[in-house]
Amino acid sequence: MLRGMKRLNRYENRILKIVKLGGKLVRFKQFGFSTKTAEGFRFPIYVLEIGKEKAIQRNVAGLVAGVHGLETIGIRVLLDFLDDLFARKSSELYEEIKAGELGIVCIPILNPGGVAMKRRSNPVGVDLMRNSGVEAVKAPFFFGGHKISNFFPYYRGNVLQAESKVLDRFYNEYLLPAENFMIPVVDIHSGFGAIDHVWWPYASTHEQCVDESLFQKIANHLTSKFNHILYKFGPQSETYTTHGDLWDRLYNEYQKAKGLNSSRFLPLTLEIGTWSDIQLDPWKVFRKRGIFNPARESKQELIISHRKFLADVLRLAKMKPIDLD
């Protein structure tokens, strides 16, 4: 049995519980499969549609987690957020979803094979966030993505992986045709730094994306109106650059398809900082999942702490850029 199967099964059971809690407001779909393991196993990749179908067409927001199989705290943050949303059924966000004012589409675990195998990459050793084919202007050697061998971490692969294609389908089916003025998507990661970052494009270049001013407005809106001052906002390239970022690729595809006089596709990466306790527990850097997840005693508090931030970002889907002024 694969070492992480019990953990993956727990997460999938939680997804089914959320579907049950949501009732008619939640639809559960299988969107594809992972790449095969050496033993021939493939793992299903699921999507949740939350809200009325018309809301998903007109005012949709996205959530993604589990791109890297070791970053399980991101999966737990996403599942906790949805669990709380439907368990309480009393929040402003829930009322907006129930009224058909907002829809959410979600991939809770993009890389189930990585979770099951307890590895960052997918089952054939490809790092999905180095896999899009986008070439960085300048990226750190090795860490920024390489094509040396899938034996080493951060391997880019030579073709678009099955999991990356599922994200493509997700984008094409829900995000590209969306009619709302702002289409926010939050991809939840962990394992870099001691603080929480919120990144927007680009990861591949220090050049500003065409929506830089809008992203800055969103950052100001979230900090000044909702007091999310503990998050550090900015393009990912301010921190580090990489080849093959999946969101860089989809963001560029959106510009080609839609141009500037349309809705704005706004992918954000929530990078949860999990290094703050290394001084208290230096041995965590030698544990396989150590640097990607917080200490056990602070884990639940960290998971809960992101609920309001996610709700406030997702609610951007029913706003216009002028509302941020």
Side-chain angles (χ1 to χ4, degrees):
M1 184 171 127
L2 296 173
R3 292 174 296 166
M5 277 301 299
K6 287 185 178 179
R7 179 177 292 115
L8 180 62
N9 288 338
R10 285 200 304 270
Y11 296 151
E12 290 183 344
N13 287 336
R14 288 192 66 183
I15 293 170
L16 294 175
K17 177 186 173 185
I18 289 164
V19 173
K20 185 176 180 180
L21 279 172
K24 293 181 179 180
L25 287 177
V26 181
R27 294 168 297 283
F28 177 68
K29 295 185 176 183
Q30 183 180 321
F31 237 53
F33 288 93
S34 71
T35 51
K36 289 183 180 180
T37 66
E39 298 79 14
F41 294 123
R42 292 196 305 167
F43 301 89
I45 301 172
Y46 301 113
V47 165
L48 298 181
E49 294 181 357
I50 300 170
K52 298 181 179 179
E53 290 186 9
K54 287 186 178 179
I56 288 175
Q57 295 170 3
R58 296 174 182 171
N59 288 325
V60 71
L63 283 174
V64 177
V67 176
H68 291 135
L70 293 180
E71 298 175 14
T72 54
I73 195 67
I75 299 170
R76 294 185 62 178
V77 166
L78 186 152
L79 295 178
D80 168 80
F81 172 76
L82 295 181
D83 205 357
D84 178 71
L85 177 69
F86 291 114
R88 290 193 296 122
K89 297 183 179 179
S90 60
S91 66
E92 187 175 0
L93 180 65
Y94 178 81
E95 292 299 327
E96 291 169 347
I97 293 170
K98 187 178 178 181
E101 298 174 12
L102 179 68
I104 301 171
V105 289
C106 171
I107 302 179
I109 311 172
L110 183 64
N111 183 14
V115 175
M117 298 176 72
K118 289 190 174 182
R119 59 195 300 177
R120 173 185 170 92
S121 68
N122 75 351
V124 293
V126 176
D127 187 323
L128 298 179
M129 287 310 290
R130 307 291 188 271
N131 180 234
S132 76
V134 173
E135 295 290 329
V137 174
K138 185 178 181 180
F141 173 71
F142 193 72
F143 170 75
H146 65 84
K147 294 189 177 182
I148 301 168
S149 168
N150 64 353
F151 180 79
F152 300 111
Y154 313 114
Y155 178 64
R156 299 176 61 185
N158 294 310
V159 296
L160 200 65
Q161 298 295 292
E163 298 87 350
S164 304
K165 290 178 181 179
V166 167
L167 188 64
D168 267 18
R169 180 185 171 192
F170 179 77
Y171 160 80
N172 281 291
E173 190 160 321
Y174 297 115
L175 307 175
L176 180 61
E179 300 172 7
N180 37 319
F181 289 91
M182 295 192 290
I183 309 165
V185 181
V186 184
D187 180 17
I188 309 172
H189 289 252
S190 64
F192 179 86
I195 63 171
D196 299 329
H197 291 79
V198 180
W199 291 327
W200 57 74
Y202 286 113
S204 58
T205 175
H206 291 285
E207 291 185 12
Q208 292 185 350
C209 69
V210 295
D211 292 306
E212 176 71 20
S213 61
L214 179 54
F215 279 119
Q216 292 286 356
K217 281 186 178 182
I218 290 171
N220 292 336
H221 173 78
L222 293 171
T223 52
S224 61
K225 184 170 183 179
F226 296 109
N227 201 37
H228 294 301
I229 57 175
L230 298 180
Y231 298 88
K232 184 178 180 181
F233 295 85
Q236 183 182 322
S237 59
E238 284 186 350
T239 307
Y240 61 84
T241 55
T242 67
H243 299 292
D245 185 274
L246 293 172
W247 296 111
D248 277 14
R249 176 175 176 269
L250 294 177
Y251 181 79
N252 286 336
E253 288 293 324
Y254 190 89
Q255 309 312 315
K256 293 176 185 177
K258 295 282 191 174
L260 297 177
N261 299 316
S262 67
S263 301
R264 308 312 302 151
F265 171 54
L266 304 171
L268 296 166
T269 297
L270 169 57
E271 180 76 17
I272 299 171
T274 51
W275 297 357
S276 57
D277 58 353
I278 287 178
Q279 286 186 332
L280 298 175
D281 180 17
W283 290 103
K284 80 177 286 180
V285 300
F286 300 105
R287 296 194 293 270
K288 192 169 186 179
R289 297 175 62 246
I291 63 170
F292 299 105
N293 293 276
R296 181 173 297 178
E297 55 270 21
S298 60
K299 187 172 292 185
Q300 190 57 32
E301 182 182 354
L302 182 148
I303 290 169
I304 292 171
S305 70
H306 296 288
R307 289 176 181 172
K308 187 175 185 302
F309 172 78
L310 292 177
D312 291 336
V313 172
L314 295 177
R315 293 180 71 238
L316 293 169
K318 58 190 293 289
M319 299 172 62
K320 299 178 181 179
I322 195 172
D323 299 328
L324 302 174
D325 293 330

